[in-house]
Amino acid sequence: MSKIKELFKDKLILGLSIGLAIVAAIIIGMLIFRFVLNQNVTAISFSQLTKDEITEWYVSEFHTEEGLKFEYEYSDEIAKDKVISQSVAEGEKINKKDGLTIVLSDGADPEVEFELPDFVKEKYDLEKIQKYFEDNKFPDVTYQYVISDEPLYTVIDINVSGKVKRGTAIIVTISAADDVTQIKTNVPDLKTYSLANARAWASSYAINLTINFILSDSETMGKILSQTIAPNTEVTGGTEIRIEVVGKEVPNVVGKTQSQAVSALKNAGFSTSVSEEYSSSVEKGTVISTSPKASSVVENGSKVKVVVSAGPNPANVYVTIKDKVGTSESSFKSYITGLGLSSPSHSGSYYSDSVEKGMILSHTSGRVNLLTKVTYELSKGAYSLGDGSRFNGMSLSSAQKEINNANDLRAGVKFNYTSEYSDSVSKNELYGCSVSGKTLTCKVSKGKLNYYAIPSREELSIPGNYNQAYNHILDVLGGFDLEIVPVSDPNYNSGVVVAVYVDGEIYNASWAKYPEYTHVKVELNK
């Protein structure tokens, strides 16, 4: 009997085990089936949903945010943060692998330019100017009231004119006549207004609207939750009304890289502007601070100013440039940039007897800050005069030009020359050039030496005509180093040559020949 019971017990345990295994297999199969099914979900229309609502739907279907992307683009037709398009159309399947991309409106493009009318000259009133800015979707228009002689609600000033971008901050000054309290209105139920409409209403009636943004888990973003003055209460211009509005918390991006911070703020629904600030304690490219600060509750879509570290102020960071004369240009450049300085600039190439051609001749050196513009010079090697023979046959002016140009590049050479007559070398050409050290010595040809004859003093005279005699002497003796000296001798007529001197000696000959460089002095009686 006990054996039968044992057998029954074993079969019962076996049966239960099999049953549990079947149930487990069914459950696992259902989970696998559900997982497989959830790889493809039918898309709905997201056009009326907020970003948070779309995210909530996606997570409920796929159990993860992976694959869900939000992109922003400007739109004049679709309100800010509303859906422009979805990558998978309504009714089609969303594949978990490919995911879903939602394009949201970033509002009207703030960079679009408009040519503003002359609101003052054309006598716009409040209603007309409000309509202009609303129709053209200007996002940042403020209306302020001042006491004025102009009729109530007349536009009397605006802070911009001409061509402006849509994103420009506009301040319109409206006449409150002689007292803003003349403006009377009943307070609406602002809880039914959008924040933009509440601001517009307040601006229209010179109401000072104070906004306190708070967090809420149950109310939609931007919803007005309360107001300090009850609806239907009559108020005058200048009255303050405080409202509480559902806002968004600024995420903490301090310590993140610029790209990480901008991405995080964009995904959180904020626009950004980035500026740099030097910091010796925060790594370059890392966020130092934001404005508003992290955890501040502000209006959804507000601009967050991000301050990113530009690293230490280079004006306060010093390095020492060692002497690198004689090194190659490429290695010098690598050395300089390796110190954190900008790439050096080549300031010129010059001759050098001590530094090889193409190598660093001189450069900025010593202790400098990182803003220093480093310059360097390259060596052209030593300037060579050779044995001087290449200058033979060169004109004097050409040789002088070459030597001067070389010395401008620090060649340090000298050029000496003497002028001599030569029957074989053309006038002003160099010959007989030689080199001693860094000095070039040459002869400069004065050309072939000519000989001319000198007539007697009687033949040079034209009695009674001084001017004719003077010109006659020039014609006959013009080839010499001639000097004509007028004298007054009562013993001779005008135009008579009193005396002729050749190299200081009295000349009494006739038609004797002398070389052209001879100094001839003629005393001509006036």
Side-chain angles (χ1 to χ4, degrees):
M1 188 70 179
S2 61
K3 287 184 177 181
I4 293 174
K5 288 181 178 181
E6 288 291 330
L7 181 62
F8 179 77
K9 182 180 179 180
D10 290 342
K11 288 183 177 180
L12 179 62
I13 292 171
L14 178 62
L16 288 172
S17 299
I18 293 171
L20 289 172
I22 292 171
V23 171
I26 291 172
I27 292 172
I28 292 171
M30 290 177 66
L31 290 173
I32 293 173
F33 181 71
R34 176 171 178 154
F35 177 79
V36 170
L37 281 181
N38 276 353
Q39 301 305 299
N40 294 281
V41 176
T42 302
I44 63 173
S45 172
F46 299 103
S47 61
Q48 302 302 315
L49 300 184
T50 66
K51 181 180 179 181
D52 290 341
E53 290 170 340
I54 295 171
T55 302
E56 184 179 349
W57 179 88
Y58 190 90
V59 171
S60 71
E61 295 293 336
F62 290 105
H63 312 291
T64 178
E65 289 187 22
E66 184 180 352
L68 177 61
K69 296 179 182 178
F70 290 97
E71 296 178 354
Y72 285 83
E73 64 181 45
Y74 293 121
S75 172
D76 286 355
E77 290 75 33
I78 308 298
K80 185 175 175 62
D81 294 320
K82 295 296 184 181
V83 175
I84 296 176
S85 64
Q86 56 192 72
S87 61
V88 180
E90 180 183 5
E92 295 184 358
K93 295 293 184 181
I94 302 173
N95 185 285
K96 185 176 181 181
K97 179 181 178 182
D98 297 331
L100 172 67
T101 299
I102 301 294
V103 179
L104 299 175
S105 171
D106 208 8
D109 187 351
E111 295 299 311
V112 174
E113 291 188 327
F114 292 81
E115 186 70 39
L116 298 182
D118 190 335
F119 299 110
V120 177
K121 185 177 180 180
E122 296 179 24
K123 296 189 179 302
Y124 273 60
D125 60 16
L126 176 61
E127 182 179 354
K128 189 175 180 181
I129 199 171
Q130 281 181 325
K131 185 176 187 307
Y132 176 86
F133 286 123
E134 287 170 4
D135 289 348
N136 290 297
K137 297 178 171 59
F138 278 72
D140 189 3
V141 182
T142 302
Y143 299 90
Q144 61 183 17
Y145 289 81
V146 296
I147 304 300
S148 168
D149 293 334
E150 294 292 332
L152 188 64
Y153 301 133
T154 301
V155 176
I156 59 176
D157 192 27
I158 185 168
N159 66 320
V160 293
S161 62
K163 186 172 288 187
V164 298
K165 292 182 178 180
R166 176 186 272 144
T168 303
I170 309 290
I171 301 175
V172 181
T173 302
I174 306 294
S175 172
D178 58 353
D179 185 0
V180 292
T181 59
Q182 291 190 63
I183 304 171
K184 295 183 180 181
T185 185
N186 289 328
V187 177
D189 185 357
L190 295 176
K191 296 188 295 297
T192 65
Y193 279 34
S194 69
L195 182 55
N197 288 341
R199 282 177 169 143
W201 173 82
S203 293
S204 298
Y205 297 100
I207 302 299
N208 297 325
L209 192 65
T210 302
I211 305 171
N212 179 36
F213 291 97
I214 62 173
L215 295 176
S216 173
D217 294 332
S218 58
E219 298 294 346
T220 57
M221 193 66 60
K223 181 174 177 56
I224 299 174
L225 301 179
S226 66
Q227 60 191 81
T228 54
I229 297 180
N232 298 318
T233 303
E234 185 179 73
V235 293
T236 61
T239 301
E240 181 185 23
I241 300 178
R242 296 187 298 276
I243 61 175
E244 286 190 334
V245 181
V246 178
K248 180 168 287 188
E249 186 175 18
V250 177
N252 185 6
V253 295
V254 173
K256 295 181 181 293
T257 65
Q258 177 179 329
S259 59
Q260 290 172 338
V262 170
S263 178
L265 289 167
K266 195 80 172 178
N267 290 337
F270 296 100
S271 61
T272 59
S273 65
V274 179
S275 62
E276 287 191 327
E277 186 177 288
Y278 291 125
S279 174
S280 57
S281 58
V282 179
E283 184 180 355
K284 184 177 181 180
T286 302
V287 175
I288 299 173
S289 63
T290 61
S291 177
K293 295 181 179 180
S295 301
S296 300
V297 181
V298 297
E299 184 177 358
N300 182 41
S302 297
K303 178 174 286 187
V304 177
K305 297 178 180 179
V306 181
V307 180
V308 177
S309 172
N313 187 339
N316 299 328
V317 179
Y318 287 83
V319 293
T320 299
I321 302 176
K322 297 180 180 179
D323 183 2
K324 294 295 179 179
V325 171
T327 59
S328 69
E329 183 179 20
S330 59
S331 64
F332 178 72
K333 285 184 174 181
S334 297
Y335 169 71
I336 293 299
T337 54
L339 292 175
L341 294 157
S342 58
S343 184
S345 58
H346 177 214
S347 59
S349 297
Y350 300 91
Y351 291 109
S352 171
D353 294 337
S354 58
V355 178
E356 183 182 345
K357 183 178 180 180
M359 299 298 156
I360 299 296
L361 178 61
S362 68
H363 60 82
T364 305
S365 62
R367 189 169 183 264
V368 300
N369 66 40
L370 294 185
L371 291 179
T372 301
K373 302 297 183 183
V374 177
T375 61
Y376 65 92
E377 298 173 348
L378 291 177
S379 171
K380 292 172 68 70
Y383 178 76
S384 176
L385 291 168
D387 61 2
S389 59
R390 68 184 179 88
F391 290 92
N392 290 332
M394 188 182 292
S395 69
L396 174 62
S397 60
S398 296
Q400 288 174 323
K401 182 177 180 180
E402 178 174 330
I403 297 299
N404 289 337
N405 288 343
N407 283 335
D408 286 342
L409 298 177
R410 305 175 193 166
V413 296
K414 294 181 180 180
F415 179 34
N416 297 328
Y417 64 89
T418 57
S419 297
E420 297 184 8
Y421 289 100
S422 172
D423 291 341
S424 59
V425 180
S426 299
K427 189 175 182 179
N428 289 325
E429 282 189 2
L430 304 184
Y431 66 102
C433 294
S434 62
V435 173
S436 177
K438 301 188 74 172
T439 301
L440 172 66
T441 302
C442 296
K443 294 178 181 179
V444 181
S445 174
K446 295 172 68 175
K448 185 177 181 179
L449 181 59
N450 295 311
Y451 287 83
Y452 301 105
I454 302 176
S456 65
R457 69 179 185 82
E458 290 81 11
E459 292 172 304
L460 291 171
S461 300
I462 301 180
N465 196 319
Y466 175 86
N467 289 333
Q468 284 188 9
Y470 188 95
N471 291 329
H472 174 60
I473 294 167
L474 285 177
D475 290 339
V476 175
L477 303 179
F480 292 103
D481 179 17
L482 178 63
E483 179 185 7
I484 300 175
V485 180
V487 296
S488 296
D489 191 332
N491 297 316
Y492 296 94
N493 289 329
S494 175
V496 173
V497 174
V498 176
V500 177
Y501 298 87
V502 176
D503 287 336
E505 300 290 333
I506 189 71
Y507 175 74
N508 290 316
S510 178
W511 299 103
K513 289 187 175 182
Y514 292 89
E516 61 182 278
Y517 57 77
T518 301
H519 179 68
V520 178
K521 177 181 176 182
V522 177
E523 292 181 350
L524 179 62
N525 200 42
K526 294 192 71 176

